[in-house]
Structure formats: structure tokens, C-alpha cells
Amino acid sequence: PAHPALARPPLAIGSNLCVSFPPERIDMKRKAALVGGGQKRIDAQHKRGKLTARERVELLLDPESFVESDMFVEHRCSDFGMEQDRNKFPGDSVVTGRGRINGRLVYVFSQDFTVFGGSLSGAHAQKICKIMDQAMTVGAPVIGLNDSGGARIQEGVESLAGYADIFLRNVLASGVVPQISLIMGPCAGGAVYSPALTDFTFMVKDTSYLFITGPDVVKSVTNEDVTQEELGGAKTHTTVSGVAHHAFENDVDALLNMREFFNFLPLSNQDPSPIRACHDPSDRLVTSLDTIVPFETTKAYDMLDIIHAIVDERDFFEIMPSYAKNIVVGFARMNGRTVGIVGNQPKVASGCLDINSSVKGARFVRFCDAFNIPIITFVDVPGFLPGTAQEYGGIIRHGAKLLYAFAEATVPKITIITRKAYGGAYDVMSSKHLRGDVNYAWPSAEVAVMGAKGAVQIIFRGKENQAEAEAEYVEKFANPFPAAVRGFVDDIIEPATTRKKICRDLEVLASKKQVNPWKKHANIPL
Amino acid sequence: VKKSRRCVGDKNTKSVFCLPPQTFDKILIANRGEIACRVIKTCQKMGIKSVAVHSDVDASAVHVKMADEAVCVGPAPTSKSYLNMDAIMDAIRSTGAQAVHPGYGFLSENKEFAKRLAAEGVTFIGPDTHAIMAMGDKIESKLIAKAAKVNTIPGFDGVVETADDAVKIAQQIGYPVMIKASAGGGGKGMRIAWNDEETREGFRFSSQEAASSFGDDRLLIEKYIDNPRHIEIQVLADKHGNALWLNERECSIQRRNQKVVEEAPSTFLDSVTRRAMGEQAVQLAKAVQYSSAGTVEFLVDSKKNFYFLEMNTRLQVEHPITECITGLDLVEQMIRVAKGYKLLHKQEDIPINGWAIESRVYAEDPYKSFGLPSIGRLSQYQEPLNLSNVRVDSGIQEGSDISIYYDPMISKLVTYGATRAEALSKMEDALDNYVIRGVTHNIPLLREIITHPRFISGDISTNFLPEVYPDGFKGHQLEVGNRRELLASAAALYITAQLRSQKVLGNLRVSSTPVECTHWELCAELGEGLYSMEVEVDGGKVEVSGQWNLASTLLPLTINGTDRMLQFKVRVLSKLAAELNSYMPEKVAEDTSSILRSPMPGSVVAVSVKPGDTVAEGQEICVIEAMKMQNSLTAAKQAKVKKVHCKPGETVGEGDLLVELE
């Protein structure tokens, strides 16, 4: 079928001078724009296992909802033969516009690798900036589909200026509308900083790369032999560097997942956390939780089991599932309402906090706070990870980020202590003291400065009968009462009732209003 | 011994309305899982206090919660907990239990345990020690059976010492032969051999398995009856020389000599054969002064000749089907008999009322040699107890862990009907209504068996599974009509989810414009196939309706007017996504011929190769033991061993890399 844009009537200029512009020329331009760099390059793109810029947009958005802008924009470079007609492509190397995902407004740009390898020209940047500006004024998210070889070298500084224009908008839009980057091809050099500034960076396995400098430059500077995949592939960034938040199998998988992910997000910081019809009863008792925490305090269990069992329909969109696995973060719904979930993971490194998990958690908490998404925190934390590696790496300032993020957050905050809440980590994990709205403890909870063994060694240093002292300490502190009698937890609840209680509390907290003191901006310990 | 209280009501309702006789105040159940729960239920009914024992990992298990008291008897491995006689004796003393019900497996046929109980004056709810000893040894039991004029299988009445002996004896008896553990049961330590080579291999495996399962590696050899049925007679005897046969159970559907589906009565027996088998079983029971419930297993050939196989001196896993058709509570009868009461019934009191089928629901992957153990946490679990005439004996609940330490049985699903057809149709419903998530389970196989024409007609033998599925079980093959229904259901689900996503509740700052769509073009990935569909909302060809929502674990759908209960996994895509999917590169699959992965979780028993060795195709590389079964893993091609990633004694997970070949 013909593209809807082709069916428009001819242009009329002025009233008495009615010049009918040859419609064929408009059609020709539109047709040219639709095929980007031409069929040969489209085939090459497909051969690489990648979709074209337009196919991606079509799949991401609701059918026929895409409204394109700047289809006629061309680059303005006149050096190196670029001014020749054969080097001009209507729309240049990016497709931009707005559309709907499940009926909800979103702005999109999709870089076209078939035109000059998707390289960024001044015009390309201008197109992106235009939709970002409008997204901000309207209050709707921006999704960028990145597939670009880098700067348009022929344009020189104009290309660099273009990047900077985008970076500036990324920063200004930060915390105003959600920004999502989906890396679907190369993204190298300065270009990487746009995704880095957005709220979420997702990647496609095997076909996407993110790096400051490619393997060749690495080889010449540091003499390291490294492949593209090792240096900046999806696996590297989702497991080692923590640059990307999730990786998907292929383009189709990634785009369909983006649609699901988008459903969780509010359109802007002016909107409340979205609510979807919920089929899962909000008062459902989750009896399997009564037995999930093992009797032995040193034995691990999977925090994801708790999360899946509590949230609506076991639907949990985990963010950074392969990085800093000792903390679990992600989106879910409670009685239809989007919530952010943070949980220590006893299965990995006993669920302790370290540099990476603190930073991972902090960034997620801040996103939720910026966009009015309530935060539910499941606590089972034995403390911060000791050792020179952590101290030298700056666990003090990185741990402070998580503390800062929880303390600063003014969205509804509900905390459930499932087992251990030891030491400073107890304070950090959305405790009552950091303005937690509702703090629950399961009967298996133990809130203490440290584990019994360590504590007894200090309190009863040199004394015999350590075992007896340990038993006394356990009796006194290894239970939820010390915290409950002081009002640091609001209630001790049966695990099976957790879902019911959270849903009920969220209903009440929906009208929560809390304002931090005026400031130009806060100064999180970066 | 106090006299039994009088019963109220007529003969047929005796065991139902009978006031429980005074037996014991407190019984300890030396077992775990479903059988412990089963015994506790009868204890509760009889007003007896129950004591559970458990390993540390079972501390929050269902049987522990059900019991009045619970005692931890050690760490997870059975040898240190459920087989730990010292700890169990301590538990008996500390709780003051007067009697012990051993369930099945573990210490149920352990003469040593029975002796120790007797020494402390604690009643063992089971037969006397001498009966356990006599029947527990396959060689001795065969001699006793012969003497008691019970039909026996031709074979060698003695212990086989070496592999060479085994081959010699096998040749004398004539192939095929069966090599089995003298102390064995439940298919463990059992191998069939068709030639000398297999005899040697079978001898080695069986003695290893026998040693690890029973601590006794003695083996015996007998003629293997090809294509037999496995039919067993339930007997019940008291301490006063009375014995009854409670009809038969047909247990021919087996995999690796372990029962999968059982039924009572058997379609194969006529009343003459039934009586003959029953009477021989009673003769045998009387010959060893048997008391309590026991089972005499027979092999029955196509001409209805039957041969004594073995006698199990305990409550059998599949006892519920006998309870269904006779109306007796076997555990209650065992407790009565153990206290010294006479049997309540006479042989003519024992009815066959209706038909009962039992499916053993296992946490195992039925696509791998009809079931290799799987482990995991039951993230969702729902028994089909909403249906009538369904009994589920289980010892787990939602949230329970299926671990490598114990038997992977999830439950015994029993259905009952006035006729076999009724019981079978009920079983089909029950399997469809069963929700098990978090572990791989064998319900697809069970459902396939009970709906197979050969099973329905009663044309079965112990070779049923390998005969019907010579290339292994591949899952249900959908017919066009069923597939269409399934796809329609998947489409209905997909569209419901899509429509819901378009509706955001509450006041919206930016208006939402959902797609007005009444015509959907979809594609569904079902198994290997890709099917395209056009869906017309309101007015399509296949009508799907029903009371369900997107949070349902079960989908009760009405498809074109027929009620169906569905659980399925189908990936549905829009037509566009399916088209674009064709551009997506196929992920390069691992070359599996040069790597050996563990097919199941378990522990490494032996590694037969080292790096640098050259192995031939089919040569054994290592042996993995899981749930007491040993599995030999062989090379897929001739190659040199590159690297060995495991060593004996190590625990491995499913899919763990064991050995790399070049």
C-alpha cells in the first residue's frame, strides 16, 4: 500500500497566484526518503540481521500511528563532492517523528545506517533536536534507536556541534521526560554519550556495540588485542561495565520488549505512575512466602522468587539482570500501578552492598523518584562488602549514592525486611529514618548492628563462654522486636499477607505530597 | 490387648462409621513427603498423635507442619537423616512414640531397624522381622515361594559372584535375562541383558547401584519374561493367622522398571485368574506368618500364566487405588493389626467397587528417556481438588523445593469412577486442571498415556512406553482441529492483553489514542511450526469465550461450544513482527557432539576418561547419579578428550559442562 504521506493534495501558495507545484517532484522526494540509502544497502542491512530504520519505527509504534517530521531535510555539506545530487538523501541519515505505543504518545528517532552509515551530520542532529524539544514541551518520552557509524567526518566541527546540541537536550530533558536508548548497531566515539545521558540504554545481542574507541585504536594505543564484541558488545556492557541495562536477542525481540517496557513508564514528571487494569486480586494471599526464608540465617534463597510471587501476574521487568546481581531492581505492577522494586539478592554474595550494586540501585531509585514511581524495597542485607578492593574503589562515596537516593526520594516508599538488616546497610535500604512511609518486618527479620558472632566478639571480648553470649545476643537481637518496639518498623507481618498490605498502602500513599527544601540542584556524591 | 469397640452400621460401612479402636497414643512416622502426610491423615482420623522426623532442609515441609510434633534427625542426605537409625531411635525416645510407621522406602524393609524397635518395646507398624528378612532377600523369597506352591520364574537360585559367573549363568538360563539386586526394589539395581556383553555391563551397574542404594551388592539372575504385565496382589494379614487378598493392581506402565500409571482392577484378569493369584499370594503370606499390609508382585504373560516376582513387605506407593475400590483404609488396618487386633473382614467382604487409576506426577523431564529428574522450586502449584472423585496424595505445596536429595515425585493423582471409562475421563480432566510451574513435570506424558488407544483398550505390557514411543516421547502431536483451537485461544489471549495495554486508567494529561482494530493479523509460534491467523473480534470462525483473565494459571475456555481446560505456551506476534523476524539471524547453536553436558542435576560417580584419551563413539565417559539412579554418559563421536571439567563426588547441575572433546 502507498505510504499515507504520498496521498496528500498538491501544495497551494498564495491566493491569486495559485502555483501548482509539480506533485511528481514531491512524490519523488518522499519515495526517495522511504528507501533511504537504496535497496542494495537495505539488503545489506538485512543480511547483517538488522532491520532498517523505518522497519524498526513501524514495529515499535502502533500501526499507522507514526507522524514523520523533516522528511525533506538534506545535509548541507558542500565539501569532498558531498554537494552532488547522488550524495543527497531526503531525510538524511535519520528518521524522526512521533507516534503511539499502545495509544500513548512517544517521540522517536531512528538512525538510518543505509545512508552514510547512519553518520551524524548537522542536519541529522537538528532533526533529533527538533523532536526532543517538542517532546519536552508536550511532556512525552523520547526513544532513540541508535545505529550510526559516528560523526559525518566530511562536515567536521558541524557534526561535533550536532552531538553537543543533542547532549544538551539529553541533560535538560533528564528528569522531565523518560529517555530511552536502544542500541541496534554501532555507536562509537562521542556518540556514546547521548545513550549514557539517557535513563535507560538497551542493546541488541551480537549486532550492537558501544565504545569510545574501537579495537584498532585500542591496539595502537595500549597494544591490547580485543574484538568489537569483547570491547563493547552487549555482553560486556550488561555484565562487566554496567553501561547497558538489558540486552535482547535481536531487533524484533528488542522492539517488542520496548513496547512492554514503555507500558510501565509515565509520560513525564507531570504524570503519576500509570495504572493498568489488573486481573490479579490485590488481596491475594501468597502462602508460598511463608516458607521461603530458610531457617538457617546463612542459607541463601532467591529474592526474585519473592518478587515474582508478590507482583501482579508474576510480571517483572528486571533492569540490569546480569550486572551487580547482589541487588535486584526493576519494574512491576501492584494492583495495576507501576512500582519500582529494589531488593537485596541473598543468592549472590549474600546480598551485601558493594560499589556496583550501590550505584545500580541508586540510579534506579532516582529514576523512580524523578517520575513519580513508588519504590518497594525488600531488605536482606548483611552489610557492605569489606576489603581493600572495595575501600580503594571508593565504597564510601559510592555507597553514599544509594543512601542519598533513598533519602532524597519523595515518592511513596514501602520497605519489607525479609531477614537481615545489618549495620549501615540497614539505614541505607529505605529505612524508616530515611522517610520510609511504611516499613514492615517479616517474623524472620533481624535488625542489628552486625551478626551475632561478630557482635559477641566485641561486646564480650576475651570472655569465655562465647557460645552462651552468642545465644543471648541472638535471643535479644536476631528478631524483629528491637526495631518494632522503637517504631522503626511499623508492623511485623505474615509473609503471605505482604501483597495485600502493599496494595492497600499504595492506594493510600497515591496522594502523598512531600517536598524537599529549595535548592538549585542537589549535590549527590558522584 | 483391649477389645475393639463395636461398630455402628452395617457390614459395608464398617470402616467408615466405625469408631476407631484403641490402638496407640502416639505414632512416629519415619518417612517424609506424601507418604508421611498420608499416614498422618489416618492418625488424625484415629485420634492418634503423630510425630514427624525431618532433615534440616525439610524443616518447613508439609509433613512437619501436619504432624503434632517434629524432630530433626540430621542433614539433607538420606543416609544422614531418614536412614539415620540412631537419630530416629532418639526421636522415638524423646517423644515417647509407642509405634513407628515406616512408610515405603527408607527403613520400611530394614530388618535391623525393626529389630532395634523391638528391642526397645516400640511397635513396628509392618510385618515381623522374620517376614521382612525372608521376603527382603530375593533369593530366599523365591525359595519360600516355591515351597508355598507359588508359581516362580525359572532362574538361578543363588548369589552371582562375578561378571564371568553372570555370563555363564545367563547362558544356562537362556537370553534374555534379568540381573537384579538381591536386596533391591523399585527398579533400582536392575538391568536386562540380551547378550554376554550386556550381562557384564549390567552386572557392573547393578552391583554399583545396589551397593549405593541398599548397601548390599549381591545380585541374582533369572529368566526375563518378555512383554509381560506387572500385576500385583495386595494382601492384608493379622497376627492371628488370618490373611486376605484385596484384589489386584495393574502396574504395567513403567519406565526403567519404575511404575508410572497404575490401575485397579486390571482389565486383563478374569475372576478365575484373580482368585488363583489372590490365593497364592495369601499362601505365601501365611507361609512367612505375615502380618500387616503387603504386596505380592507377579509377572503375567499373554496367556495369563503368572509368576511370582517379589513380595514387598510394606505399604506400597500405589495403595490408594486399592483403597478406592475396596473402601478400606490400609494405613488404619496396618495400625490395627500392629496393635494385635484381628482382621475386621472376611474374604467375601472384599468388594471391587468401580475403577481407580493412579498417575505418578514426577518432577522430571519426560522428553528425556521418559523422565530424567528435574529440580527447582514450585513457583506455582495447584492440585485439581476442585473436581469430584479426585484424590491427590502429596507432601509438597506452592513454594516447596524439589531437591536432588529425595525422590522427585510431586504427587500421586488418583481418580475414581464407577467404570474404567469414567475414571479415565476424570483423570484427563484432573491432569488438565493440575498447575505445576517452576519444575519440569511429566504431566504431558501421563496425559498421553491415559488417552492412548492401546492403553484405553487395555492392551499394555511393561514394554508399553518403549513400544509406543520407540524414539522417545516427543510430546503431544496436535491434530489440525486441536491446533486450530489452541491457536484461536492463544490469539484470544494475545488480543486481550493488547487491548488491556491500551487502556491506562485515571485522568490523563496527554490523551491516549488506542488503535481501533477489529481485525488482527497474527502469527503464532507453536513448537517448530509458525502459523498465521486472521482474527475477527466478534464474528470469527472459532469462537473462544470463558471465565478467565490474564492472571489465570488455568484457562477454562469454551471453544466453539466445547469446554476445554488449557495451559500452554505459544508465542504470538503481529503479522509485521513475524515478517520482520525472517531477517533475524539464527543464533549459532553449540556443537554438541564435542561437548558433554549433564542431562540432569546429580552427582558424578565416576569419570572414565582423562585429557588426551581417545574415545570411541558410544564409549562411556562418565557416570552421573541422580535420585539413586546411575546414568552412563557416552561419547557422541570418536574423538580425543580435550578437557575434563568434573571429578567423582562433585555435584553438577543440569546442563553443566562435564567433558570437552576435540
Side-chain angles (χ1 to χ4, degrees), chain A residues 46-51 55-56 58-59 62-63 100-105 137-140 205-207 248-253 256 259-260 263 267-268 270-272 274-281 284-292 295-296 299 305-306 309 313-314, chain B residues 56-61 65 377-380 397-401 405 437-438 494 496-515 517 548-553 571-588:
Chain A
H46 285 158
K47 217 169 227 162
R48 283 187 207 102
K50 304 198 302 187
L51 299 179
E55 284 166 343
R56 286 168 177 166
E58 214 183 334
L59 193 52
D62 292 345
R100 303 269 171 175
I101 293 179
N102 289 312
R104 303 170 70 222
L105 183 63
T137 55
V138 172
K205 287 181 191 168
D206 303 329
T207 49
F248 300 102
E249 288 307 314
N250 55 47
D251 278 16
V252 172
D253 184 45
L256 294 180
R259 287 178 62 86
E260 294 299 316
N263 290 344
L267 295 188
S268 76
Q270 300 301 306
D271 299 291
I275 305 176
R276 191 176 81 173
C278 175
H279 293 176
D280 199 353
R284 172 169 58 87
L285 287 181
V286 192
T287 48
S288 68
L289 296 184
D290 287 336
T291 54
I292 192 158
F295 281 86
E296 298 153 78
K299 231 182 130 195
D305 283 337
I306 294 183
E313 295 162 31
R314 308 182 63 79
Chain B
D56 53 12
V57 294
D58 272 346
S60 55
K65 284 192 216 152
R377 186 171 185 273
L378 290 168
S379 56
Q380 284 176 288
Q397 59 187 3
E398 192 163 289
S400 292
D401 263 317
Y405 298 111
R437 307 278 158 80
Y494 174 82
T496 309
Q498 291 295 313
L499 292 176
R500 180 175 70 166
S501 292
Q502 294 183 359
K503 266 194 211 121
V504 182
L505 308 177
N507 291 327
L508 303 180
R509 187 181 50 81
V510 182
S511 70
S512 179
T513 43
V515 192
C517 193
W548 53 276
N549 62 45
L550 293 166
S552 311
T553 44
R571 186 178 181 216
V572 182
L573 295 172
S574 67
K575 191 183 171 200
L576 174 71
E579 277 169 11
L580 294 178
N581 229 354
S582 64
Y583 295 123
M584 294 299 102
E586 285 209 14
K587 297 283 164 184
V588 184

Side-chain angles (χ1 to χ4, degrees), chain A residues 396-433:
Chain A
I396 296 174
R397 68 195 166 87
H398 294 296
K401 291 175 185 173
L402 185 58
L403 170 62
Y404 192 106
F406 271 124
E408 153 195 62
T410 54
V411 289
K413 291 187 283 193
I414 299 176
T415 307
I416 299 95
I417 302 174
T418 61
R419 191 167 61 179
K420 291 173 213 159
Y422 287 170
Y426 153 72
D427 285 341
V428 170
M429 293 304 293
S430 196
S431 63
K432 198 78 197 165
H433 325 287

Side-chain angles (χ1 to χ4, degrees), chain A residues 194-212:
Chain A
S194 176
L197 289 167
T198 61
D199 298 301
F200 294 100
T201 302
F202 298 110
M203 293 181 80
V204 179
K205 287 181 191 168
D206 303 329
T207 49
S208 72
Y209 310 100
L210 269 166
F211 36 64
I212 299 283

